[in-house]
Amino acid sequence: MRRWHGMARWYAGRRGGTTLWTLLAVLLALGLAAQPAASQAGAPGPASAGSPDAGAGALRELTLEEAVALALERNAQIRQAEADLEEARLVLEETRARHLMQPNPVTLLQAETGYELARRNLILTRSQVRLSVEQAFYGVLRAENLAEVAREGVALAERQLAVAQDRVAAGAAAPVDAIRAESQLSSARAQLLQVEGAVQLALLAFRQTLGVDLDTPIRPASQPVEVEPIPIDLEADLAFALENRVEVLQALAGIEAARTSVELTDNDYTPGLSHERARVGLRKAELALQQVRDGITLEIRQLYQTLLDAERQVEVLEQAVAAAEESLRITEAMYEAGVATDLELLSAQTAFIQAKTNLVNARFDHREAQVRYAHAVARALAEGGSER
């Protein structure tokens, strides 16, 4: 395992490299670098025989829901959000008791708003953990699918080498054909080794997201990732997010507090400058709310467009894979018959493997777009807006 930790550190210096390193960056972004909530799980205690940190043993495969449940159980930020909610509840009770003896509308409003924000923040913190787990979960599956494509590339290169050697032995091809085929095979094997390394890095990211030891024999259960469009009512989702996102509620609370301040300073006993300052504060709070709503609107519309683009991209790439596969079949037959060059065959093989790689990435991009959209529109509040 120390080997993979070393790979992670070595990789960090290669972020500006080739396309493959870009792929590794994507995998890390899905896990190690894209889990601000889930990666801060508390330090695990002593491992028991049935715990996720039990160490060596049979490899355990987790479904997505099992992985989410484990992360929710162990995540430190969720425990913090629960403590914040309990503290906000106690503050609200204390403020209400004091309000009976010494009324203070501003303080009471702040306490009520603080409790509601804490309640919603707990729900959204759980949603953030789920987002991080799903990204890491599908990050592993993405890497494994890409490894399967790389293995197919090796198999194609091995088959081409065998054919080239037979043709050279029969005097139907020049020795350079076999040399090129050997070079192609070496390149394909090197690519496979690098992608298999990416799988190990993605597994480390997944385990870190769950809050378990990185050596724990846990991995995502394999499952097909097909494009399954979900019905989306963009305007309804926007309306819900603009009313329920925590950022909006915080801005609305600021407006209510500023409005109350204006009302309390609008009398004959308060200096006029204080009242004017309160009015300026109210205008600033209203502008802040508009900025928050504009930012949320832009974010959700961008994610929606990304989702649509990813869906269309999958359709196009499925057709590209079919075309590349047929082109490869024809080129292989022509090469074996001596009417196509080895360079033409190499080109057809490269095009086929690249098309399959693009399709794998597009399918997982689509899935990630669905997950990020659901998080942005605060769907967790719509589906379970209680303190679960």
Side-chain angles (χ1 to χ4, degrees), residues 15 17 36 70 76 90 125 146 153 171 199 222 270 305 313 335 352 371 379 385 388:
R15 285 291 292 265
L70 179 59
L90 294 174
T125 299
L146 291 173
V199 172
S222 298
T270 302
Q305 189 60 49
Q313 185 77 351
Y335 179 75
F352 175 64
V371 171
R379 194 162 284 163
R388 292 187 294 125

PDB file of all heavy atoms in Angstrom, residues 15 17 36 70 76 90 125 146 153 171 199 222 270 305 313 335 352 371 379 385 388:
ATOM      1  N   ARG A  15       1.030  16.892 -12.886  1.00  0.00           N
ATOM      2  CA  ARG A  15      -0.298  17.357 -13.280  1.00  0.00           C
ATOM      3  C   ARG A  15      -0.299  18.017 -14.637  1.00  0.00           C
ATOM      4  O   ARG A  15      -1.298  18.036 -15.329  1.00  0.00           O
ATOM      5  CB  ARG A  15      -0.848  18.359 -12.248  1.00  0.00           C
ATOM      6  CG  ARG A  15      -1.322  17.739 -10.973  1.00  0.00           C
ATOM      7  CD  ARG A  15      -2.582  16.907 -11.173  1.00  0.00           C
ATOM      8  NE  ARG A  15      -3.717  17.743 -11.508  1.00  0.00           N
ATOM      9  CZ  ARG A  15      -4.572  18.187 -10.612  1.00  0.00           C
ATOM     10  NH1 ARG A  15      -4.441  17.906  -9.354  1.00  0.00           N
ATOM     11  NH2 ARG A  15      -5.593  18.922 -10.976  1.00  0.00           N
ATOM     12  N   GLY A  17       1.191  17.096 -17.350  1.00  0.00           N
ATOM     13  CA  GLY A  17       1.716  16.181 -18.361  1.00  0.00           C
ATOM     14  C   GLY A  17       0.719  15.808 -19.422  1.00  0.00           C
ATOM     15  O   GLY A  17      -0.111  16.585 -19.848  1.00  0.00           O
ATOM     16  N   PRO A  36     -14.674  17.725   0.077  1.00  0.00           N
ATOM     17  CA  PRO A  36     -14.445  18.635   1.193  1.00  0.00           C
ATOM     18  C   PRO A  36     -15.207  18.247   2.439  1.00  0.00           C
ATOM     19  O   PRO A  36     -14.765  18.539   3.544  1.00  0.00           O
ATOM     20  CB  PRO A  36     -14.930  19.979   0.651  1.00  0.00           C
ATOM     21  CG  PRO A  36     -15.860  19.631  -0.447  1.00  0.00           C
ATOM     22  CD  PRO A  36     -15.322  18.353  -1.041  1.00  0.00           C
ATOM     23  N   LEU A  70     -22.278   4.131   5.384  1.00  0.00           N
ATOM     24  CA  LEU A  70     -21.043   4.041   6.159  1.00  0.00           C
ATOM     25  C   LEU A  70     -20.417   5.421   6.341  1.00  0.00           C
ATOM     26  O   LEU A  70     -19.972   5.782   7.438  1.00  0.00           O
ATOM     27  CB  LEU A  70     -20.061   3.093   5.462  1.00  0.00           C
ATOM     28  CG  LEU A  70     -18.702   2.892   6.140  1.00  0.00           C
ATOM     29  CD1 LEU A  70     -18.887   2.344   7.558  1.00  0.00           C
ATOM     30  CD2 LEU A  70     -17.836   1.960   5.307  1.00  0.00           C
ATOM     31  N   ALA A  76     -17.206  13.310  10.365  1.00  0.00           N
ATOM     32  CA  ALA A  76     -17.052  14.267  11.465  1.00  0.00           C
ATOM     33  C   ALA A  76     -17.877  15.529  11.239  1.00  0.00           C
ATOM     34  O   ALA A  76     -18.391  16.125  12.190  1.00  0.00           O
ATOM     35  CB  ALA A  76     -15.576  14.629  11.624  1.00  0.00           C
ATOM     36  N   LEU A  90     -31.057  24.989  21.849  1.00  0.00           N
ATOM     37  CA  LEU A  90     -30.938  25.488  23.221  1.00  0.00           C
ATOM     38  C   LEU A  90     -30.939  27.017  23.253  1.00  0.00           C
ATOM     39  O   LEU A  90     -31.554  27.633  24.141  1.00  0.00           O
ATOM     40  CB  LEU A  90     -29.654  24.944  23.849  1.00  0.00           C
ATOM     41  CG  LEU A  90     -29.621  23.427  24.072  1.00  0.00           C
ATOM     42  CD1 LEU A  90     -28.255  22.987  24.570  1.00  0.00           C
ATOM     43  CD2 LEU A  90     -30.710  23.000  25.054  1.00  0.00           C
ATOM     44  N   THR A 125     -25.524  19.042   4.760  1.00  0.00           N
ATOM     45  CA  THR A 125     -24.227  18.427   5.035  1.00  0.00           C
ATOM     46  C   THR A 125     -24.282  16.943   4.690  1.00  0.00           C
ATOM     47  O   THR A 125     -23.347  16.384   4.104  1.00  0.00           O
ATOM     48  CB  THR A 125     -23.828  18.613   6.508  1.00  0.00           C
ATOM     49  OG1 THR A 125     -23.736  20.014   6.791  1.00  0.00           O
ATOM     50  CG2 THR A 125     -22.496  17.954   6.806  1.00  0.00           C
ATOM     51  N   LEU A 146     -12.130   1.971 -17.700  1.00  0.00           N
ATOM     52  CA  LEU A 146     -11.032   2.390 -18.583  1.00  0.00           C
ATOM     53  C   LEU A 146      -9.935   1.328 -18.623  1.00  0.00           C
ATOM     54  O   LEU A 146      -9.294   1.122 -19.665  1.00  0.00           O
ATOM     55  CB  LEU A 146     -10.464   3.723 -18.108  1.00  0.00           C
ATOM     56  CG  LEU A 146     -11.393   4.929 -18.276  1.00  0.00           C
ATOM     57  CD1 LEU A 146     -10.804   6.165 -17.614  1.00  0.00           C
ATOM     58  CD2 LEU A 146     -11.663   5.209 -19.753  1.00  0.00           C
ATOM     59  N   GLY A 153      -7.227  -3.112 -25.672  1.00  0.00           N
ATOM     60  CA  GLY A 153      -6.181  -2.590 -26.546  1.00  0.00           C
ATOM     61  C   GLY A 153      -4.969  -3.507 -26.597  1.00  0.00           C
ATOM     62  O   GLY A 153      -4.372  -3.718 -27.660  1.00  0.00           O
ATOM     63  N   GLY A 171       6.822 -14.478 -45.846  1.00  0.00           N
ATOM     64  CA  GLY A 171       7.382 -13.622 -46.880  1.00  0.00           C
ATOM     65  C   GLY A 171       6.388 -12.672 -47.489  1.00  0.00           C
ATOM     66  O   GLY A 171       6.669 -12.054 -48.522  1.00  0.00           O
ATOM     67  N   VAL A 199      -6.582   2.959 -11.074  1.00  0.00           N
ATOM     68  CA  VAL A 199      -7.608   2.230 -10.324  1.00  0.00           C
ATOM     69  C   VAL A 199      -7.248   2.204  -8.840  1.00  0.00           C
ATOM     70  O   VAL A 199      -8.100   2.438  -7.968  1.00  0.00           O
ATOM     71  CB  VAL A 199      -7.768   0.791 -10.864  1.00  0.00           C
ATOM     72  CG1 VAL A 199      -8.700  -0.018  -9.957  1.00  0.00           C
ATOM     73  CG2 VAL A 199      -8.306   0.804 -12.280  1.00  0.00           C
ATOM     74  N   SER A 222     -19.312  -3.681  -8.443  1.00  0.00           N
ATOM     75  CA  SER A 222     -19.385  -3.391  -9.878  1.00  0.00           C
ATOM     76  C   SER A 222     -20.836  -3.297 -10.319  1.00  0.00           C
ATOM     77  O   SER A 222     -21.702  -4.047  -9.851  1.00  0.00           O
ATOM     78  CB  SER A 222     -18.670  -4.483 -10.677  1.00  0.00           C
ATOM     79  OG  SER A 222     -17.301  -4.517 -10.333  1.00  0.00           O
ATOM     80  N   THR A 270     -34.841  58.127  18.615  1.00  0.00           N
ATOM     81  CA  THR A 270     -33.608  57.619  18.016  1.00  0.00           C
ATOM     82  C   THR A 270     -33.044  58.666  17.062  1.00  0.00           C
ATOM     83  O   THR A 270     -33.799  59.259  16.283  1.00  0.00           O
ATOM     84  CB  THR A 270     -33.872  56.310  17.232  1.00  0.00           C
ATOM     85  OG1 THR A 270     -34.431  55.353  18.136  1.00  0.00           O
ATOM     86  CG2 THR A 270     -32.582  55.752  16.647  1.00  0.00           C
ATOM     87  N   GLN A 305     -27.353  22.478 -18.316  1.00  0.00           N
ATOM     88  CA  GLN A 305     -26.818  22.410 -19.673  1.00  0.00           C
ATOM     89  C   GLN A 305     -25.726  21.340 -19.778  1.00  0.00           C
ATOM     90  O   GLN A 305     -25.647  20.614 -20.773  1.00  0.00           O
ATOM     91  CB  GLN A 305     -26.252  23.770 -20.079  1.00  0.00           C
ATOM     92  CG  GLN A 305     -25.870  23.862 -21.549  1.00  0.00           C
ATOM     93  CD  GLN A 305     -27.049  23.622 -22.475  1.00  0.00           C
ATOM     94  OE1 GLN A 305     -28.123  24.216 -22.288  1.00  0.00           O
ATOM     95  NE2 GLN A 305     -26.883  22.750 -23.456  1.00  0.00           N
ATOM     96  N   GLN A 313     -23.804  13.735 -25.820  1.00  0.00           N
ATOM     97  CA  GLN A 313     -22.469  13.238 -26.124  1.00  0.00           C
ATOM     98  C   GLN A 313     -22.432  11.717 -26.104  1.00  0.00           C
ATOM     99  O   GLN A 313     -21.785  11.087 -26.943  1.00  0.00           O
ATOM    100  CB  GLN A 313     -21.470  13.793 -25.106  1.00  0.00           C
ATOM    101  CG  GLN A 313     -20.020  13.449 -25.383  1.00  0.00           C
ATOM    102  CD  GLN A 313     -19.407  14.294 -26.486  1.00  0.00           C
ATOM    103  OE1 GLN A 313     -20.114  15.031 -27.157  1.00  0.00           O
ATOM    104  NE2 GLN A 313     -18.113  14.173 -26.660  1.00  0.00           N
ATOM    105  N   TYR A 335      -5.995  -6.355 -43.921  1.00  0.00           N
ATOM    106  CA  TYR A 335      -4.580  -6.540 -43.580  1.00  0.00           C
ATOM    107  C   TYR A 335      -4.182  -8.014 -43.724  1.00  0.00           C
ATOM    108  O   TYR A 335      -3.118  -8.335 -44.267  1.00  0.00           O
ATOM    109  CB  TYR A 335      -4.322  -6.053 -42.158  1.00  0.00           C
ATOM    110  CG  TYR A 335      -2.886  -6.238 -41.709  1.00  0.00           C
ATOM    111  CD1 TYR A 335      -1.877  -5.412 -42.182  1.00  0.00           C
ATOM    112  CD2 TYR A 335      -2.551  -7.252 -40.812  1.00  0.00           C
ATOM    113  CE1 TYR A 335      -0.560  -5.583 -41.784  1.00  0.00           C
ATOM    114  CE2 TYR A 335      -1.240  -7.431 -40.398  1.00  0.00           C
ATOM    115  CZ  TYR A 335      -0.247  -6.595 -40.890  1.00  0.00           C
ATOM    116  OH  TYR A 335       1.062  -6.782 -40.498  1.00  0.00           O
ATOM    117  N   PHE A 352     -10.463   2.891 -32.587  1.00  0.00           N
ATOM    118  CA  PHE A 352     -11.453   2.086 -31.865  1.00  0.00           C
ATOM    119  C   PHE A 352     -11.273   2.219 -30.350  1.00  0.00           C
ATOM    120  O   PHE A 352     -12.249   2.456 -29.618  1.00  0.00           O
ATOM    121  CB  PHE A 352     -11.323   0.623 -32.290  1.00  0.00           C
ATOM    122  CG  PHE A 352     -12.215  -0.310 -31.525  1.00  0.00           C
ATOM    123  CD1 PHE A 352     -13.596  -0.212 -31.610  1.00  0.00           C
ATOM    124  CD2 PHE A 352     -11.665  -1.293 -30.714  1.00  0.00           C
ATOM    125  CE1 PHE A 352     -14.425  -1.069 -30.895  1.00  0.00           C
ATOM    126  CE2 PHE A 352     -12.484  -2.159 -29.996  1.00  0.00           C
ATOM    127  CZ  PHE A 352     -13.856  -2.046 -30.080  1.00  0.00           C
ATOM    128  N   VAL A 371     -25.653  13.740 -10.463  1.00  0.00           N
ATOM    129  CA  VAL A 371     -25.416  13.845  -9.024  1.00  0.00           C
ATOM    130  C   VAL A 371     -25.220  15.303  -8.614  1.00  0.00           C
ATOM    131  O   VAL A 371     -25.802  15.772  -7.622  1.00  0.00           O
ATOM    132  CB  VAL A 371     -24.182  12.997  -8.636  1.00  0.00           C
ATOM    133  CG1 VAL A 371     -23.773  13.269  -7.192  1.00  0.00           C
ATOM    134  CG2 VAL A 371     -24.469  11.514  -8.839  1.00  0.00           C
ATOM    135  N   ARG A 379     -32.090  18.947  -3.665  1.00  0.00           N
ATOM    136  CA  ARG A 379     -33.111  17.898  -3.735  1.00  0.00           C
ATOM    137  C   ARG A 379     -33.238  17.153  -2.415  1.00  0.00           C
ATOM    138  O   ARG A 379     -34.284  16.602  -2.095  1.00  0.00           O
ATOM    139  CB  ARG A 379     -32.772  16.928  -4.863  1.00  0.00           C
ATOM    140  CG  ARG A 379     -33.911  16.011  -5.251  1.00  0.00           C
ATOM    141  CD  ARG A 379     -33.689  15.397  -6.614  1.00  0.00           C
ATOM    142  NE  ARG A 379     -33.950  16.366  -7.676  1.00  0.00           N
ATOM    143  CZ  ARG A 379     -33.533  16.212  -8.925  1.00  0.00           C
ATOM    144  NH1 ARG A 379     -32.832  15.154  -9.251  1.00  0.00           N
ATOM    145  NH2 ARG A 379     -33.803  17.123  -9.832  1.00  0.00           N
ATOM    146  N   GLY A 385     -36.836  16.716   3.913  1.00  0.00           N
ATOM    147  CA  GLY A 385     -36.519  17.922   4.655  1.00  0.00           C
ATOM    148  C   GLY A 385     -36.778  17.833   6.129  1.00  0.00           C
ATOM    149  O   GLY A 385     -37.218  18.775   6.760  1.00  0.00           O
ATOM    150  N   ARG A 388     -33.389  13.736   9.606  1.00  0.00           N
ATOM    151  CA  ARG A 388     -33.225  12.302   9.567  1.00  0.00           C
ATOM    152  C   ARG A 388     -31.805  11.958   9.985  1.00  0.00           C
ATOM    153  O   ARG A 388     -30.884  12.668   9.689  1.00  0.00           O
ATOM    154  CB  ARG A 388     -33.496  11.753   8.168  1.00  0.00           C
ATOM    155  CG  ARG A 388     -34.964  11.897   7.794  1.00  0.00           C
ATOM    156  CD  ARG A 388     -35.275  11.230   6.509  1.00  0.00           C
ATOM    157  NE  ARG A 388     -34.591  11.910   5.403  1.00  0.00           N
ATOM    158  CZ  ARG A 388     -33.789  11.306   4.554  1.00  0.00           C
ATOM    159  NH1 ARG A 388     -33.514  10.052   4.691  1.00  0.00           N
ATOM    160  NH2 ARG A 388     -33.226  11.975   3.566  1.00  0.00           N
TER     161      ARG A 388
END
